[in-house]
Amino acid sequence: MKKIYIKMVGLAVVATLMGSCKKFIDYNPHEDFVTTDLDYFKSESDYRSMVVSAYTPVQWLNQATVIGDVASDNSVAGGESASDVLALQQIDDFTLTPVNSALEDLYKVAYEGVNRTNYIVQYKDKNPAGQTVSFTGKDALYGEVYFLRAYYYFTLVKMWGDVPLFLDKRISLTDARGLARSPKADVYAQIEKDLLAAIAVLPTTQSQAGRITKYAAQGLLGKVYLYENKFAQADAVLEPIIASNAFTLVADFPSIYLASGENGSESLFEVQYTNGSPYYNWGGATRGQGNYAVQQNGIRGLSGSGAMPYAAGWSTNLPTQNLANAYAAGDQRKDITAFNIEAYKAAHPEFNIVYTVAPYRNTGLYNGKYLPRKGETSGQIELNYLNNFRIMRYPEVLLMAAEAIIRSGGDNAKALSYLNQVRRRAFKDTAHDINATGDALKLAIWDERRLELAMDGDRFFDLVRTGQAATKLPGFVAGKHEVFPIPQTEITITGITQNPGY
């Protein structure tokens, strides 16, 4: 087993690389030590192990998914009291300051990912000893690295706008003090470059579920183009995914979010979580290989008898009634997205369900997509749920392509066909098909994104990029809240400037 020490902006983290496990993205959080560059990149095995380490921070970004809904009209922070999950409650209320533990953690983790990918790119052609290590599949392996770097920078730019951009190497704390923020246009240009490089070398399938494929890179690039309002380019990169016939919509929507539904027929990219090496560090709750956000979503004090499948949690990230009301009757997505515990209890008296009502801003609704389930955790149960985050699914590709087509003046009928594929799966009929044109169709596509992707972490960023946030989110201040405040710790350490209004 090998270890690597990589210091990131404002934080030092030790990453441990691994061999085999239940899901390939894994590491051992209990062992660490520091070694030198010359110990690495001597063999194909070294390169492959290093790339696994570049995936690991993706797991640690789990709060970005939570924030993407809490900051929107999809959910409220919830919790036990007004000070229970203060960082999330400030995001929920738009009372943000540069001192916010959740945002600080995400900023550091994203740059940890950048540092790891840069380190691997730095030694692509020659290792630290100046030697060239060649092996079959090396270019494709680097396609995964380019995707991951793009993913980390995309997280940064959509959350903070202009951010420091560096590419050639991993940086030290001393290097960080010399960084300035780069215009977001430059960051997006680099994201595009990395994703195009990834698309050119990645395979369409991988032997290990969870590894990046060409389709995942095409899908992310299409999404990036939408954020940049490059609609023709988005359509051009998304259409090949659809034409490939490599993906199919799962008929039973709720089953997508079961353990048995992971990496299924409509999955382009999922963050892999597991609990093979149970994690216990409450000082770094998001740093395990398990999905910490699952425990957050659970129903406080829940218990029941017999085959009742759910486990208790903390009653945060509670879906709003506004979201529940957005679903039309017969839409199979509603009950799993805005899970109504009282309705479930009434439907299953045999379970003898008891629970504690969420004390703070209770909505009576819970995130059923990622509710804790019995038997899906181990060790310190709160930190070790194995549920993957479904980051990009085929229906999002269809909806992104539909939006790109209609906003670039393309074929209205094709855009409708993509939209209605998603709706036909949702309702299991054709009676709910949309028949609209122009702006009405654009709005219908945006609304469908909310219904399909709710509680998957996209809503706030969609409202910002489409210019709807100020009219839909109480407390949102235009010209300020499109981005989050740069963490004060980073400003203190590096001297970079703060976002306006903070």
Side-chain angles (χ1 to χ4, degrees), residues 23 208-211 256 258-272 388-390:
K23 297 179 183 177
Q208 291 177 305
R211 283 195 176 272
I256 296 167
L258 297 174
S260 59
E262 291 181 345
N263 304 306
S265 66
E266 63 180 57
S267 174
L268 273 77
F269 177 48
E270 296 185 15
V271 176
Q272 308 293 303
N388 289 358
F389 265 144
R390 281 63 165 171

Side-chain angles (χ1 to χ4, degrees), residues 292-339:
Y292 172 73
V294 173
Q295 176 68 20
Q296 291 174 292
N297 293 324
I299 301 165
R300 190 174 293 268
L302 180 69
S303 65
S305 59
M308 200 277 288
Y310 299 109
W314 294 338
S315 294
T316 63
N317 192 22
L318 306 175
T320 62
Q321 195 61 52
N322 179 289
L323 172 61
N325 292 343
Y327 290 95
D331 191 331
Q332 64 167 319
R333 297 171 296 193
K334 178 179 180 178
D335 288 347
I336 188 66
T337 306
F339 180 83

Side-chain angles (χ1 to χ4, degrees), residues 107 111 114 118 153-154 156-168 171 175-176 178-191 483 486 494-500:
Y107 189 94
Y111 273 116
V114 169
N118 281 353
Y153 270 125
F154 184 47
L156 287 160
V157 75
K158 74 180 183 180
M159 292 189 73
W160 288 282
D162 301 345
V163 292
L165 175 66
F166 55 96
L167 304 167
D168 297 332
I171 63 168
D175 296 329
L179 290 176
R181 297 176 68 180
S182 297
K184 66 179 183 180
D186 293 349
V187 182
Y188 273 119
Q190 181 59 44
I191 292 170
V483 290
I486 301 289
T494 67
I496 62 175
T497 58
Q498 182 57 271
N499 278 323

Side-chain angles (χ1 to χ4, degrees), residues 8 11 13 27 29 60 105 108-109 279 281 284-289:
M8 65 190 194
L11 186 69
V13 171
Y27 80 111
W60 302 344
D105 188 56
K108 291 175 178 178
V109 168
Y279 185 70
N281 183 11
T286 64
R287 293 299 190 272
Q289 58 187 257

